[in-house]
């Protein structure tokens, strides 16, 4: 086995986020294909998809044998976390039919934060776990993603 599959050994620690990601992906597909109000469903599908991306990234990170792969998956996870908050804002404004001036600034700020999370590997250090795999250490990326996620 070569390539990406050789750098991941999914063990019991990876199963909960792997199953959660599968459920999130199934929900996103269901919402994307279901007839009905497209804007509300669409934003909820994006939230479910980003949750699935984050869960799959954590599953791979917990089973990674390479710190480079673990760093990439940690950055992908933080980028997804940063994007969920503004998507939830858009979902809620569509659901209750109100407009807010914060919707697009929050979305653009989150997109910028996601790009920074992905483009700056030095901001997201990872450390080996005692049982295999890696986990991210407290870092500027952690704080950055949380602050952007909780924007108005």
């Amino acid at each position: 086995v070569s390539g990406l599959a050789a750098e991941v050994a999914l063990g019991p620690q990876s199963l909960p986020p792997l199953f959660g990601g599968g459920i999130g992906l199934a929900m996103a597909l269901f919402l994307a294909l279901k007839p009905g109000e497209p804007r509300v469903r669409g934003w909820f599908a994006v939230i479910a998809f980003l949750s699935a991306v984050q869960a799959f990234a954590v599953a791979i990170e917990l089973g990674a044998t390479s710190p480079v792969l673990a760093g990439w998956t940690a950055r992908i996870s933080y980028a997804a976390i940063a994007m969920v908050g503004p998507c939830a804002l858009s979902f809620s404004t569509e659901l209750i039919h109100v407009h807010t001036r914060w919707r697009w600034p929050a979305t653009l700020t989150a997109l910028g934060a996601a790009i920074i999370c992905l483009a700056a590997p030095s901001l997201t250090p990872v450390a080996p776990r005692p049982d295999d795999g890696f986990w991210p250490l407290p870092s500027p990326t952690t704080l950055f993603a949380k602050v952007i996620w909780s924007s108005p």
Side-chain angles (χ1 to χ4, degrees):
V1 178
S2 64
L4 179 63
E7 295 186 24
V8 179
L10 295 178
Q13 73 275 12
S14 298
L15 293 179
L18 193 63
F19 289 141
I23 291 168
L25 188 59
M27 182 185 299
L29 288 172
F30 172 76
L31 289 166
L33 299 174
K34 183 180 181 297
E37 173 60 42
R39 293 177 302 185
V40 173
R41 278 185 308 98
W43 282 113
F44 195 63
V46 171
I47 293 168
F49 177 75
L50 289 170
S51 298
V53 167
Q54 191 269 340
F56 284 139
V58 168
I60 292 171
E61 184 179 346
L62 291 174
T65 59
S66 159
V68 174
L69 177 64
W72 265 107
T73 57
R75 292 193 307 275
I76 290 169
S77 175
Y78 287 136
I81 289 169
M83 290 299 299
V84 165
C87 291
L89 176 65
S90 295
F91 166 73
S92 63
T93 58
E94 291 294 339
L95 183 66
I96 60 174
H97 301 289
V98 297
H99 296 286
T100 177
R101 65 176 189 233
W102 293 106
R103 183 175 179 175
W104 293 112
T107 303
L108 293 174
T109 304
L111 187 58
I115 290 169
I116 291 170
C117 288
L118 294 172
S122 62
L123 294 179
T124 312
V126 294
R129 290 171 31 94
D131 297 341
D132 289 331
F134 291 82
W135 50 32
L137 297 172
S139 66
T141 310
T142 308
L143 182 62
F144 198 54
K146 287 181 180 180
V147 167
I148 297 300
W149 173 78
S150 63
S151 64

